[in-house]
């Protein structure tokens, strides 16, 4: 080899045999990288499999040399067959099915089945699935009376949800049997079914309204809306357009491969904790404003901007670094338009036709228009993400801002459980990363009167 590649290799930096050899001797392409260990002079050839290097191979050849990757930005933590995401081309598929087709033709319950079982259900399988989920929506009276009602009157509904999900593990002791297929199936159904009930109960409590029991004659989303909004009427009939819009939002949020909360689910699941405890950890990860709280930040930003006329000034302040970030724009993985944002934009029009236009919509549209034609945003590949429009829909439907992460947690439960199940089926190792220690050297204890 000559030139750039050999220089890199002789400096002990990573060189890709595939790239170097393709450049310099296009006849041979090896799926490996070659590393020279400058400490020993050894040249090591490490195989690349499906675009990655297995840590086991790495450790065999270079024991004690760790990757330093705090945000796991360059580390594949698992092998998964659930969701495919191509951020450069704006592609998202669940089990191979394009998100656009699922949003148009499917329902959240069917998508949950797909994520968990790998295939779309037959009509008979779906009937059984729907029946089982519908008949597990009730929560134990003590979850509500003794647990949820014990919270302070102004408790945040997401804090209540995180705790309530964890508390379920104390009600279903069989959940510890994670390798018993029947027990596992039962906990999955319970979690999918009870999340809307817990979510609505948390909301009702936080606004001082009485709990509404599930209505088993309603579909998944209509039942949730009934538990949220029912007052004195014998039966709450949700507007079908709004129920369908919510269903679409649930489909779009059902999974997103190795995001922060799914990683939390996998990490806790890898210790063989029960699924309620693992799911509570995932909910807690979702609570953070960097993850499940971004759509709330969008609404706050739009409210603060206040009018379409002020949009250019706001954009200027973002570019100058004084106005913070343009919330709902940019994504770690998507470097083109988030496919979910496109679908949500269409759904927003349908919702606003019923609820009346969210007054913040015009500001959002102006922001998008200016940002998409501004070199600052286009050169950094910053496009609207799923959160840019979802908050506008939730707000128009009457959900308070505090419920936004809760609304995210309900459908993401299907994704979390699909990953949890996959992890157990793969008999994955417990997650236990390494660290680079930078603390003090060994030193002797000094008694308190001599410090
Ligand atoms: N507004 C303005 N500038 C931005 C934005 C934004 N929303 N996002 C990124 N940038 C700029 C950064 O300042 C940086 O510029 P520089 O190269 O001149 O320093 C460049 O784009 C790259 O930004 P990073 O922070 O390195 O990108 P990263 O991939 O780490 O961040 C993130 C992704 C966190 C989503 C970011 O784009 C952001 O903060 N967006 C706003 C919050 C948001 O909408 N979050 C929801 C994400 S979707 C979800 O979690 C469901």
């Amino acid at each position: 080899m000559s030139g750039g590649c050999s220089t890199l290799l002789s400096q002990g930096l990573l060189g890709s045999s595939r790239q170097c050899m393709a450049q310099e001797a296009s006849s041979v392409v090896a799926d490996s990288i070659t590393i020279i260990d400058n400490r020993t002079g050894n040249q090591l050839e490490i195989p690349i499999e499906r675009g990655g290097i297995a840590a086991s191979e790495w450790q065999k050849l270079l024991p004690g040399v760790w990757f330093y990757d705090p945000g796991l930005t360059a580390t594949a933590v698992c092998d998964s067959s659930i969701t495919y995401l191509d951020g450069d081309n704006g592609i998202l598929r669940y089990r191979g099915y394009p998100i656009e087709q699922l949003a148009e033709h499917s329902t959240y319950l069917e998508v949950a089945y797909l994520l968990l079982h790998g295939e779309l259900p037959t009509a008979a399988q779906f009937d059984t699935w729907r029946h089982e989920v519908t008949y597990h929506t009730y929560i134990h009276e003590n979850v509500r009376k003794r647990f949820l009602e014990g919270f302070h009157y102004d408790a945040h509904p997401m804090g209540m949800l995180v705790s309530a999900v964890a508390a379920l593990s104390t009600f279903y002791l069989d959940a510890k049997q994670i390798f018993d297929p029947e027990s596992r199936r039962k906990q999955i159904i319970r979690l999918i079914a009870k999340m809307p009930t817990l979510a609505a109960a948390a909301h009702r409590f936080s606004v001082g309204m009485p709990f509404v029991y599930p209505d088993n004659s309603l579909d998944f989303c209509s039942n949730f809306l009934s538990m949220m909004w029912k007052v004195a009427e014998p039966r709450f009939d949700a507007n079908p357009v709004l129920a369908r819009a919510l269903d679409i939002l649930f489909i779009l949020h059902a999974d997103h491969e190795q995001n922060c909360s799914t990683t939390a689910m996998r990490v806790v699941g890898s210790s063989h904790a029960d699924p309620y405890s693992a799911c509570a950890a995932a909910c807690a990860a979702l609570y953070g404003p960097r993850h499940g709280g971004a759509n709330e930040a969008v609404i706050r930003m739009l409210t603060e901007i206040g009018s379409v006329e002020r949009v250019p000034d706001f954009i200027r302040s973002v570019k100058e670094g004084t106005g913070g970030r343009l919330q709902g724009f940019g994504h770690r993985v998507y470097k083109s338009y988030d496919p979910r944002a496109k679908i949500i934009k269409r759904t927003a029009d349908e919702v606003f036709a019923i609820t009346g236009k969210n007054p913040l919509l015009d500001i959002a549209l102006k922001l998008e228009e200016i940002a998409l034609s501004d070199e600052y945003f286009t050169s950094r590949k910053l496009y609207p993400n799923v959160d840019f429009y979802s908050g506008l829909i939730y707000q128009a439907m009457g959900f308070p801002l505090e419920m936004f992460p809760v609304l995210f947690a309900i459908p993401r439960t299907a994704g979390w459980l699909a990953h949890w199940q996959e992890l157990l089926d793969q008999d994955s190792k417990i997650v236990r990363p390494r660290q680079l220690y930078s603390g003090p050297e060994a030193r002797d204890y000094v008694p308190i009167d001599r410090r």
Side-chain angles (χ1 to χ4, degrees), residues 291 294 325-332 376 380 382 385 387:
H291 188 14
R325 289 195 165 189
L326 179 48
Q327 297 300 325
F329 258 68
H331 196 277
R332 173 62 61 76
Y376 175 93
R380 289 171 176 78
L382 300 171
N385 60 48
D387 288 323

Side-chain angles (χ1 to χ4, degrees), residues 253 256 289-292 294-295 297-298 318-319 324-333 335 338 340 376-377 380 382 385-388 408 412:
H253 285 92
H256 210 229
R290 279 174 156 186
H291 188 14
N295 47 12
V298 171
V318 169
K319 287 161 51 176
R325 289 195 165 189
L326 179 48
Q327 297 300 325
F329 258 68
H331 196 277
R332 173 62 61 76
V333 183
K335 298 301 168 199
D338 181 336
R340 300 168 300 172
Y376 175 93
F377 296 93
R380 289 171 176 78
L382 300 171
N385 60 48
V386 68
D387 288 323
F388 194 64
F408 196 156
R412 186 53 61 88

Side-chain angles (χ1 to χ4, degrees), residues 132-357:
E132 287 190 305
V133 171
T134 305
Y135 283 83
H136 282 85
T137 47
Y138 272 59
I139 48 174
H140 193 290
E141 280 294 278
N142 283 348
V143 176
R144 176 173 73 87
K145 284 192 195 151
R146 295 183 187 268
F147 190 78
L148 286 175
E149 292 184 2
F151 279 100
H152 200 47
Y153 71 93
D154 59 353
H156 193 291
M158 190 63 175
M160 293 174 76
L161 185 75
V162 170
S163 323
V165 172
L168 287 186
S169 78
T170 66
F171 286 82
Y172 304 113
L173 300 179
D174 56 333
K176 290 192 186 312
Q177 311 307 321
I178 56 172
F179 290 108
D180 171 353
E182 184 44 33
S183 167
R184 206 192 281 183
R185 196 186 66 84
K186 211 190 290 171
Q187 316 315 327
I188 286 173
I189 288 167
R190 282 176 173 153
L191 266 163
I192 302 264
K194 292 181 202 308
M195 284 301 268
T197 315
L198 292 174
H203 165 71
R204 302 283 294 202
F205 180 79
S206 72
V207 293
M209 293 285 283
F211 176 72
V212 175
Y213 286 93
D215 180 342
N216 289 349
S217 70
L218 299 173
D219 64 65
F220 191 84
C221 284
S222 303
N223 180 40
F224 173 59
L225 292 174
S226 161
M227 291 188 287
M228 283 291 299
W229 310 130
K230 188 170 170 224
V231 184
E233 61 275 53
R235 179 188 153 103
F236 181 88
D237 283 309
N239 183 304
V241 175
L242 300 186
R244 177 60 189 152
L246 190 63
D247 205 37
I248 292 174
L249 286 164
F250 281 3
I251 291 172
L252 302 182
H253 285 92
D255 193 45
H256 210 229
E257 52 119 293
Q258 308 310 315
N259 53 85
C260 179
S261 55
T262 301
T263 303
M265 182 87 189
R266 280 187 171 262
V267 169
V268 178
S270 81
S271 76
H272 289 177
D274 69 83
Y276 301 103
S277 303
C279 207
C283 277
L286 191 67
Y287 197 173
R290 279 174 156 186
H291 188 14
N295 47 12
E296 183 181 335
V298 171
I299 298 294
R300 293 194 194 283
M301 172 189 75
L302 296 175
T303 310
E304 214 175 294
I305 296 172
S307 72
V308 171
E309 292 70 42
R310 294 182 60 192
V311 169
D313 278 350
F314 177 74
I315 293 273
R316 201 171 307 119
S317 69
V318 169
K319 287 161 51 176
E320 286 166 359
T322 54
R325 289 195 165 189
L326 179 48
Q327 297 300 325
F329 258 68
H331 196 277
R332 173 62 61 76
V333 183
Y334 290 118
K335 298 301 168 199
S336 65
Y337 214 103
D338 181 336
R340 300 168 300 172
K342 270 188 207 153
I343 300 167
I344 286 185
K345 213 172 157 186
R346 274 200 306 275
T347 309
D349 292 334
E350 289 158 20
V351 169
F352 297 154
I354 306 291
T355 61
K357 196 170 75 177

Side-chain angles (χ1 to χ4, degrees), residues 27-28 53 76 104 152 157 166 188 191 257 314 323-324 353 368 370 381 414:
S27 55
V28 190
I53 297 168
E104 191 169 346
H152 200 47
I188 286 173
L191 266 163
E257 52 119 293
F314 177 74
E368 181 182 342
I370 297 187
K381 300 189 174 170

Side-chain angles (χ1 to χ4, degrees), residues 105-142:
H105 303 296
S106 189
T107 60
Y108 166 67
L109 261 200
E110 188 181 58
V111 163
Y113 184 100
L114 170 70
L115 290 168
L116 284 153
H117 296 84
E119 295 297 334
L120 287 167
T122 62
Q125 286 167 334
F126 185 66
D127 273 353
T128 310
W129 171 247
R130 185 176 45 199
H131 179 86
E132 287 190 305
V133 171
T134 305
Y135 283 83
H136 282 85
T137 47
Y138 272 59
I139 48 174
H140 193 290
E141 280 294 278
N142 283 348

